[in-house]
Amino acid sequence: MTKVSISLAHALLGGTLILTTATASYALEGGRLSKEATITLDRARDAAMKAQPGTILDQELEHRKGGSGLRYSFDIRVGRVTHEVGIDAKTGSVLQNSAEGNK
């Protein structure tokens, strides 16, 4: 391989790693709990976006007090404000919709 080919291969590999990392960061944190949920992530995401339209920055499935004790938690950006929206993972009801402040 020539030096140009090797440099191109490194650049492509680096780009692939960056793309993979960016995709993985949007994965569902706490996904191991999904077997306990009766509501799918897609349905919970739809409920969260209906409660607070905006851009989802982060999503998580977690055990937390309130409702059934298992919730999907979404950070949703609206302008400069980030809202935390909690959706019960067993009933689909909105448990929380509160502004976190400027970020």
Side-chain angles (χ1 to χ4, degrees):
M1 264 190 187
T2 67
K3 286 185 177 184
V4 172
S5 297
I6 292 171
S7 294
L8 181 58
H10 284 277
L12 289 174
L13 180 59
T16 302
L17 291 175
I18 291 169
L19 178 61
T20 302
T21 302
T23 304
S25 69
Y26 195 69
L28 178 66
E29 192 174 325
R32 69 189 182 290
L33 300 173
S34 61
K35 63 183 176 277
E36 298 177 38
T38 55
I39 303 300
T40 65
L41 173 60
D42 287 338
R43 190 165 159 201
R45 191 181 297 125
D46 289 345
M49 291 298 289
K50 185 176 180 182
Q52 186 57 68
T55 303
I56 294 176
L57 302 176
D58 194 24
Q59 56 191 16
E60 181 178 7
L61 181 58
E62 60 189 348
H63 284 289
R64 198 158 162 193
K65 290 183 181 179
S68 69
L70 183 65
R71 76 167 61 188
Y72 290 99
S73 180
F74 299 92
D75 289 340
I76 301 176
R77 170 82 44 107
V78 181
R80 291 184 171 178
V81 179
T82 300
H83 293 259
E84 183 171 352
V85 179
I87 304 295
D88 191 296
K90 295 188 179 185
T91 67
S93 63
V94 177
L95 300 172
Q96 178 182 6
N97 184 357
S98 58
E100 294 182 339
N102 294 335
K103 286 192 176 181

